[in-house]
Amino acid sequence: MISGEDFKDTDGNQINAHGAGALYYNETYYLFGEIKKGKTWLVPGQSWEDYRVPAGGVSCYSSTDLKHWKNLGTALRSVTGDPSNDLDTGRVIERPKVLYNEKTNKFVMWFHNDRNDYQDSKAGIAISDSPEGPYTYLGSIKPNNQMLRDMTLFKDIDRKAYVVYSSEDNNTMHVCLLTDDYLKPTEHYTRILIDRNRESPALFKNNGKYFLITSGCSGWSPNAASYATANSIMGPWTEIGNPCSGTNAEQTFFAQGNYVLPINGKPSNFIFMGDLWNKLDLEKSGYLWIPFEVIDGEVKINN
């Protein structure tokens, strides 16, 4: 288990990969996350604690054992001093996720791209010839003209890919099939967890069943996670309850989930990856990674 701020790379430096996602490719795990560095400030005029730090782009680390992580540098760079640019440090670059597309031999990155007040609510899309990048930014989009905020990507065993995201002012989650090149949304999507106010989706599959772990909407403050299951990714989805148990389970152990990483070669073993947000100094936010198993179709996460 990884817990707290002490999560260092092979050079001894603190890993900077928040809101992270992971990719397993060619017997190597790649970790992608938000680079948070600089002074934290509070965006004025918001109805919630809209704390921000300059958007530093997307980092990439690699590991073959999930213990030792090598810093591969910045996969997607931000720009400075151009507020009209989606990648400007004054904007939002959050929750990057990467898939490999076997048809195009491209690595495809999606992330939540936004203004500081969250009113753009778009997906940013970038591609690369290698997992570590550099990634070429292609632009931003609203899938089916719907809001996209917290999001994740999922590739099924048939190599079809989906983007799952908080939409409708975070009231409802959407699951949307992507085009074969993973670069655009299709019109085939479904609304799930309707009026449940969930965010930070983490989707995985076990024994033919789909599992989706989400958090409540409480800004940077922790809350109780919940998970739902479905026999088809497009639903119907059934809410089960809090997957966490033990001390501080009702606060998800003070973390917010961002991804569930399947362990290669162990089909019922996963890692719950979360952020321990420090809203007053986001650069110092820590991590919580907890190994867990799916037992008799139930998710059991205990720290």
Side-chain angles (χ1 to χ4, degrees):
M1 182 174 76
I2 294 169
S3 181
E5 296 179 28
D6 191 21
F7 183 24
K8 295 183 178 180
D9 63 24
T10 53
D11 294 322
N13 298 315
Q14 180 70 15
I15 287 177
N16 198 333
H18 305 279
L23 168 73
Y24 184 74
Y25 174 76
N26 198 21
E27 300 184 358
T28 300
Y29 294 93
Y30 293 88
L31 178 69
F32 302 89
E34 310 159 18
I35 299 173
K36 292 189 178 300
K37 189 173 184 180
K39 184 179 179 180
T40 298
W41 78 91
L42 183 63
V43 178
Q46 302 302 299
S47 61
W48 63 289
E49 293 180 314
D50 191 3
Y51 287 99
R52 291 289 145 204
V53 70
V58 177
S59 59
C60 181
Y61 297 81
S62 68
S63 175
T64 56
D65 59 8
L66 294 173
K67 296 179 181 179
H68 303 90
W69 292 91
K70 180 181 179 180
N71 186 355
L72 301 181
T74 303
L76 180 70
R77 294 190 175 277
S78 57
V79 301
T80 303
D82 185 3
S84 65
N85 193 311
D86 284 350
L87 303 182
D88 187 75
T89 54
R91 288 181 57 87
V92 171
I93 301 172
E94 288 184 335
R95 300 184 179 269
K97 305 293 183 285
V98 174
L99 296 178
Y100 174 63
N101 188 297
E102 287 85 356
K103 289 184 177 180
T104 63
N105 293 318
K106 298 288 186 181
F107 296 86
V108 181
M109 177 188 293
W110 283 59
F111 60 92
H112 171 211
N113 182 251
D114 221 324
R115 298 188 326 204
N116 281 319
D117 60 6
Y118 268 26
Q119 291 308 299
D120 276 0
S121 302
K122 294 182 177 181
I125 303 163
I127 60 171
S128 175
D129 292 325
S130 61
E132 69 270 20
Y135 283 76
T136 300
Y137 185 60
L138 301 181
S140 59
I141 191 171
K142 282 189 171 183
N144 294 291
N145 203 31
Q146 299 287 334
M147 288 181 173
L148 179 147
R149 291 179 178 167
D150 282 7
M151 56 134 291
T152 193
L153 292 178
F154 177 78
K155 182 166 70 172
D156 215 335
I157 57 174
D158 60 4
R159 296 182 178 176
K160 290 183 178 180
Y162 302 82
V163 58
V164 183
Y165 54 96
S166 297
S167 193
E168 304 174 30
D169 283 317
N170 285 12
N171 289 322
T172 300
M173 199 78 68
H174 288 193
V175 180
C176 181
L177 175 68
L178 300 182
T179 54
D180 287 347
D181 58 10
Y182 304 169
L183 298 180
K184 296 178 182 178
T186 69
E187 295 181 356
H188 185 42
Y189 75 98
T190 188
R191 300 168 68 239
I192 69 171
L193 306 183
I194 297 171
D195 294 328
R196 297 297 292 152
N197 297 102
R198 308 302 297 179
E199 62 180 13
S200 66
L203 177 64
F204 65 101
K205 190 175 183 180
N206 178 252
N207 285 335
K209 181 175 284 190
Y210 300 87
F211 297 81
L212 179 65
I213 300 176
T214 61
S215 82
C217 297
S218 55
W220 298 100
S221 301
N223 56 65
S226 181
Y227 81 100
T229 64
N231 293 321
S232 166
I233 194 169
M234 288 297 181
W237 286 83
T238 301
E239 291 187 76
I240 305 300
N242 192 342
C244 302
S245 60
T247 305
N248 300 315
E250 291 305 308
Q251 290 81 38
T252 315
F253 318 121
F254 303 110
Q256 183 185 39
N258 54 52
Y259 195 74
V260 169
L261 175 62
I263 305 302
N264 184 57
K266 297 181 178 180
S268 292
N269 292 71
F270 303 86
I271 296 177
F272 174 79
M273 297 166 52
D275 291 284
L276 296 164
W277 295 121
N278 181 342
K279 65 184 180 182
L280 300 180
D281 192 349
L282 287 168
E283 181 180 343
K284 293 185 179 179
S285 297
Y287 308 88
L288 181 68
W289 289 19
I290 303 177
F292 73 92
E293 294 182 65
V294 177
I295 301 174
D296 296 327
E298 295 185 4
V299 178
K300 298 180 181 295
I301 303 174
N302 194 315
N303 70 338

